Amino acid sequence: MATKRALAQQLGVVAGFDDPKAPLEQYRTPPELAAHLIHLADLRGDLEGRTVVDLGCGTGMLALGAALRGPERVVGLDLDPDPLRTARDNERKVASSTSVSWVRGDAERAPLSTDPGETTVVMNPPFGAQSGNEHADRAFLATTADLAGVSYSIHNAGSREFVASFADDEGGEVTDSYAAEFELPRQFDHHSDESRTISAEVFRIEWDR
């Protein structure tokens, strides 16, 4: 198994959004954070030989990280066709042994059929920071509860009570969590600073399947 640092270096070539859309909260997941999440999933035996679904995959950071760790199949799902085109280019750069199926679709009504017992979801859903988009991550979790036996997801700091309560309502359980920080560059007009540090939390959930 390659080290977490080596994985982050491999993911460093993954390009971000050419024209990010604020309502969709399109931000590139930092390679270091993606590598941490994927490495943890690999250590827990949640990738190898399984189907991995990246909900709201954007330009493919988490999907491609998973594809480098020996899953049976990887699917990247996103509503916006533009980042999916970038994701296909990124796949060629990363050159993983497992190919990725890039699917255009709404993560809230995912056009996917999976065996939950053999499926892992990885995702960096919208935090719901935009007006009118509050609790956007709730819909992503609801889809995850239908698709997966285990999931790894990134949420805004302070989300543990909400995530744990939602999982419990759906027969799931938060088994692991850790805090994370990453630098968010200025990319929208409403951003006043050149960059700012975002505090986040990553959760592993086992869903009752």
Side-chain angles (χ1 to χ4, degrees):
M1 180 191 301
T3 65
K4 181 172 64 175
R5 178 177 295 181
L7 180 59
Q9 290 174 341
Q10 288 176 285
L11 294 176
V13 302
V14 174
F17 296 87
D18 290 330
D19 184 22
K21 299 174 178 62
L24 296 179
E25 298 186 41
Q26 292 178 331
Y27 303 98
R28 176 179 181 258
T29 304
E32 296 78 13
L33 177 55
H36 194 158
L37 185 154
I38 295 300
H39 189 68
L40 174 61
D42 201 7
L43 289 174
R44 294 296 297 265
D46 293 328
L47 298 180
E48 186 174 0
R50 294 174 64 85
T51 293
V52 178
V53 177
D54 181 358
L55 289 180
C57 65
T59 62
M61 184 69 77
L62 291 175
L64 292 170
L68 289 165
R69 289 298 180 93
E72 179 71 23
R73 182 167 72 114
V74 180
V75 178
L77 176 76
D78 203 277
L79 183 63
D80 188 348
D82 292 335
L84 286 176
R85 283 190 284 269
T86 302
R88 292 186 180 94
D89 291 337
N90 285 332
E91 184 180 3
R92 288 189 284 271
K93 295 178 188 176
V94 170
S96 63
S97 57
T98 302
S99 63
V100 182
S101 299
W102 304 105
V103 177
R104 185 183 180 188
D106 189 345
E108 296 184 20
R109 296 176 293 275
L112 302 175
S113 178
T114 65
D115 175 356
E118 299 295 330
T119 301
T120 297
V121 163
V122 295
M123 61 179 179
N124 183 7
F127 287 176
Q130 296 296 313
S131 177
N133 201 35
E134 293 84 356
H135 306 300
D137 50 354
R138 179 187 296 273
F140 278 67
L141 285 171
T143 299
T144 299
D146 291 333
L147 291 178
V150 63
S151 67
Y152 293 79
S153 53
I154 304 169
H155 299 264
N156 201 18
S159 296
R160 181 177 176 86
E161 183 177 353
F162 152 66
V163 172
S165 176
F166 185 94
D168 185 63
D169 288 343
E170 297 295 327
E173 179 185 5
V174 174
T175 63
D176 302 76
S177 64
Y178 62 87
E181 289 187 343
F182 57 92
E183 291 295 318
L184 184 67
R186 185 181 188 276
Q187 59 182 29
F188 299 123
D189 291 341
H190 65 270
H191 289 169
S192 57
D193 300 322
E194 287 304 311
S195 67
R196 61 192 179 105
T197 300
I198 299 294
S199 296
E201 292 178 288
V202 179
F203 299 97
R204 178 184 186 271
I205 302 173
E206 289 184 358
W207 304 94
D208 185 15
R209 294 289 178 265

